[in-house]
Amino acid sequence: MSRIVYVNGDFVPEEEASVSVFDRGFLFADAVYEVTSVLDGKLIDFDGHCARLDRSLSELGMSMPMDRDAFLEAHRELVARNDIGDGLIYLQVTRGAADRDFHYPADATQTVVMFTQAKPGLAENPQAQTGIKVISIPDLRWDRCDIKTTQLLYASMGKMKARAEGADDAWMVDDGKVTEGTSNNAYIVKDGTIVTRQLGNEILPGITRTAVLRFAREAQMKVEERAFTLEEARTADEAFVTSASSFVMPVVEIDGARVGAGAPGPIAKRLRDIYIEEMRRAAS
Ligand code: PLP
């Protein structure tokens, strides 16, 4: 069955959807995106994703092409039209189509594209039982990783390198300190304290990160927002990552060395359970 996708106000079969070859998202990665998960047909943390979209756009001198309520309605319409129980909604906003020129065009109309990815059993991902393996790679990205742009080639390269080495993902390292995963925020746990890099230009302010840190603090867990070294990660009791699509995912191996007992740790497991339960309750 073909998906129904959203392009600039229209809901159309994916085969009929099109965007200009002059679109700056295509030519310059002059575009930002969001991925929102769907559980039981409901959106997880929609407002968080919408707020970050607004911020990403404004950092690039763009504004929201439509307001929060219109975005929410379009998300819900896509979920309904594609009969999504569990899955993801991808949303991309570009600066629009214009004759190729590095300068921003004065009068382009933004392009808005949305599509769904069905992921039955998203919250019961069996990887959460075994945990994932990561390798470390140098962080060679630009210095505005806080903006969620579509420049994802280095992330793809990292995931390909991880796969070639029998791992699931890569953690990026800058000046000896872990920044984040290729598509997630990175955490370690040592002596009961959860450590994750502080917000700044070097990492994406994860929407899942915000919620997970709030739940951790509400559960009286100790949290330190600071950079940690690869060495600290290798000798940690636990490690995990967070993202909209993986929620809280335990990391059991870094560069071939077991983290802690080499199995998902109790804090990661507990945070995953709390996150899924609380976010299901608050879903829109
Ligand atoms: N860091 C990077 C580089 C990402 O690409 C992502 C998600 O795609 C995240 C962190 C996690 O962000 P979120 O929790 O909002 O999905």
Side-chain angles (χ1 to χ4, degrees):
M1 195 187 76
S2 139
R3 271 177 293 194
I4 299 296
V5 304
Y6 174 98
V7 186
N8 297 325
D10 296 325
F11 291 91
V12 293
E14 61 179 270
E15 301 79 14
E16 290 169 27
S18 69
V19 173
S20 166
V21 296
F22 296 106
D23 196 283
R24 289 179 60 90
F26 179 57
L27 297 178
F28 292 99
D30 189 356
V32 300
Y33 75 108
E34 283 296 328
V35 176
T36 303
S37 60
V38 180
L39 290 178
D40 303 325
K42 289 191 168 175
L43 303 162
I44 301 299
D45 217 338
F46 173 81
D47 281 323
H49 289 282
C50 206
R52 185 174 60 190
L53 176 71
D54 194 358
R55 179 188 181 273
S56 294
L57 287 166
S58 70
E59 290 298 310
L60 297 174
M62 287 189 264
S63 50
M64 291 278 269
M66 52 203 211
D67 67 17
R68 177 236 178 233
D69 290 351
F71 267 127
L72 179 58
E73 203 183 306
H75 274 68
R76 285 182 170 157
E77 183 79 29
L78 263 192
V79 168
R81 288 191 187 228
N82 291 283
D83 198 18
I84 300 293
D86 294 346
L88 306 171
I89 299 198
Y90 177 92
L91 157 67
Q92 180 173 152
V93 179
T94 86
R95 201 179 300 275
D99 194 26
R100 188 175 182 279
D101 182 346
F102 283 81
H103 304 99
Y104 298 166
D107 54 359
T109 304
Q110 285 167 300
T111 300
V112 183
V113 166
M114 295 169 58
F115 59 80
T116 53
Q117 290 179 290
K119 305 264 178 202
L122 183 62
E124 291 81 41
N125 184 346
Q127 268 194 322
Q129 305 305 318
T130 56
I132 61 166
K133 300 173 181 176
V134 302
I135 59 166
S136 62
I137 58 172
D139 194 340
L140 302 180
R141 300 173 302 166
W142 72 332
D143 224 359
R144 289 307 306 272
C145 296
D146 57 310
I147 309 174
K148 197 166 169 66
T149 76
T150 58
Q151 304 173 82
L152 296 174
L153 193 52
Y154 191 64
S156 285
M157 291 167 74
K159 285 197 196 280
M160 291 305 290
K161 187 166 195 290
R163 180 184 282 175
E165 294 181 20
D168 303 291
D169 204 353
W171 277 13
M172 295 178 281
V173 179
D174 182 32
D175 206 15
K177 311 254 175 63
V178 174
T179 50
E180 59 186 337
T182 59
S183 61
N184 42 56
N185 290 112
Y187 307 73
I188 57 170
V189 181
K190 188 70 182 174
D191 299 328
T193 300
I194 299 162
V195 184
T196 193
R197 196 178 180 103
Q198 72 281 1
L199 296 182
N201 287 3
E202 314 80 31
I203 66 167
L204 187 77
I207 301 306
T208 319
R209 177 187 182 282
T210 302
V212 164
L213 291 187
R214 176 162 57 86
F215 295 140
R217 287 179 171 123
E218 284 171 7
Q220 314 302 327
M221 296 177 187
K222 239 185 110 196
V223 175
E224 278 180 18
E225 293 183 62
R226 63 164 177 85
F228 59 86
T229 65
L230 198 52
E231 193 47 36
E232 277 183 277
R234 289 199 188 106
T235 54
D237 301 325
E238 290 185 42
F240 62 93
V241 293
T242 64
S243 72
S245 55
S246 70
F247 309 126
V248 177
M249 181 60 67
V251 170
V252 295
E253 211 179 279
I254 301 175
D255 289 331
R258 282 171 20 168
V259 178
I267 290 186
K269 279 199 213 163
R270 185 156 170 235
L271 282 175
R272 180 179 175 87
D273 290 347
I274 295 174
Y275 178 82
I276 291 171
E277 191 184 324
E278 294 289 331
M279 297 317 274
R280 270 191 203 279
R281 211 197 313 273
S284 43

